[in-house]
Amino acid sequence: MKEKIISIVLAIWVLMIVISVVLLFLPRTIHLDGVAVKYRLGEDNREPEQMVHINMDGKRYLTTSGDYIFRGTIDIEGEPLPVPEDQKRLEIRFHKGHGLMEYIIYENGKTDIFVYGTLFVDRAFSKLTIAISEENSNGEQNSRSWSSEDGLMLSMPATNRSEAIQLSNELMETYLGGYILK
C-alpha cells in the first residue's frame, strides 16, 4: 500500500513538472500600446522631447537558454522606415533583455538589412526603451550607430524626459555596465 501511494505521489509530481515546463514554453501574446518619450541624450543636448505613439503586437517565445524571441510588428508614429509594408514583421532575439530591431528587406532580387536600433525590454514586455541607430557622418553607405553620449532614445511608459532617462537606465543597466545615461 505504501509503495502504491509513493508511486501515485511521484506520478503527480512528474505530471506537475511536465505541465509547468509546457506552460513556460508556450508563446505569450504581446500587445503594448501607448505613448513613449523620444529624446536625445546628453546634458548639453536639451532638444525638446516628443511624445510618440507605439504599438507592439506579436508573440514572445522563451528559448531553452532562458532568452526570448519576439515575432511581430512594432509601429512607431512618425518614423518613416525604409521598409516595404509587407516586410515590417520582426524577429528579435533578446539576450540579457536586449535585441536588435532589424528588418530584412527583399527587393529586386537583393537582400538588405535596415537596423532601426537596439530594443530593451523588461521580462513582462510591459516597459521598453530603444537606442535608435542614426546615420553616421563618415560617408559610409548604410552605416548607422548609437552613442551613449548624445544618442536618440525612445522610452515607454514615460511622460517626460526625466522619467524616460530613468527607465532607460533601469532597462539598460547590464548593457551599460555601470555607465549612467544623462
Side-chain angles (χ1 to χ4, degrees):
M1 181 70 171
K2 187 177 180 181
E3 289 176 7
K4 190 173 186 180
I5 292 173
I6 291 174
S7 295
I8 291 171
V9 169
L10 187 58
I12 291 172
W13 183 74
V14 168
L15 184 62
M16 288 174 51
I17 289 176
V18 168
I19 289 171
S20 297
V21 168
V22 167
L23 289 176
L24 184 65
F25 284 95
L26 282 176
R28 302 271 192 252
T29 298
I30 301 296
H31 178 72
L32 189 57
D33 189 29
V35 177
V37 176
K38 185 175 182 180
Y39 61 98
R40 185 164 298 280
L41 293 170
E43 293 178 350
D44 297 336
N45 288 326
R46 290 297 180 168
E47 295 177 11
E49 67 256 18
Q50 295 175 283
M51 303 309 278
V52 178
H53 182 257
I54 295 181
N55 186 351
M56 182 177 191
D57 278 311
K59 300 260 186 207
R60 180 200 76 186
Y61 301 85
L62 179 65
T63 67
T64 55
S65 66
D67 293 332
Y68 291 106
I69 296 174
F70 170 79
R71 290 186 183 121
T73 58
I74 302 174
D75 295 315
I76 303 169
E77 174 187 37
E79 290 296 314
L81 300 176
V83 180
E85 273 307 310
D86 64 337
Q87 297 180 39
K88 287 193 175 179
R89 190 157 180 80
L90 291 162
E91 179 171 300
I92 303 173
R93 296 182 179 276
F94 289 91
H95 179 68
K96 296 184 180 178
H98 69 279
L100 274 182
M101 266 182 79
E102 59 184 358
Y103 295 88
I104 311 298
I105 304 165
Y106 304 102
E107 283 187 317
N108 302 326
K110 295 181 184 176
T111 302
D112 197 10
I113 297 174
F114 172 73
V115 177
Y116 180 75
T118 304
L119 175 63
F120 298 83
V121 295
D122 64 337
R123 290 188 72 77
F125 279 66
S126 62
K127 302 175 191 176
L128 67 80
T129 195
I130 304 171
I132 301 171
S133 299
E134 297 180 279
E135 290 290 329
N136 286 335
S137 58
N138 61 9
E140 289 183 41
Q141 187 177 11
N142 295 330
S143 177
R144 299 174 63 86
S145 65
W146 175 81
S147 166
S148 60
E149 296 294 320
D150 62 358
L152 201 53
M153 301 292 296
L154 194 60
S155 300
M156 175 180 157
T159 58
N160 58 47
R161 186 177 190 277
S162 178
E163 286 180 13
I165 289 175
Q166 183 178 354
L167 179 60
S168 293
N169 279 315
E170 173 191 328
L171 294 175
M172 297 173 72
E173 183 178 8
T174 303
Y175 181 82
L176 295 171
Y179 183 82
I180 304 294
L181 299 174
K182 298 175 183 150

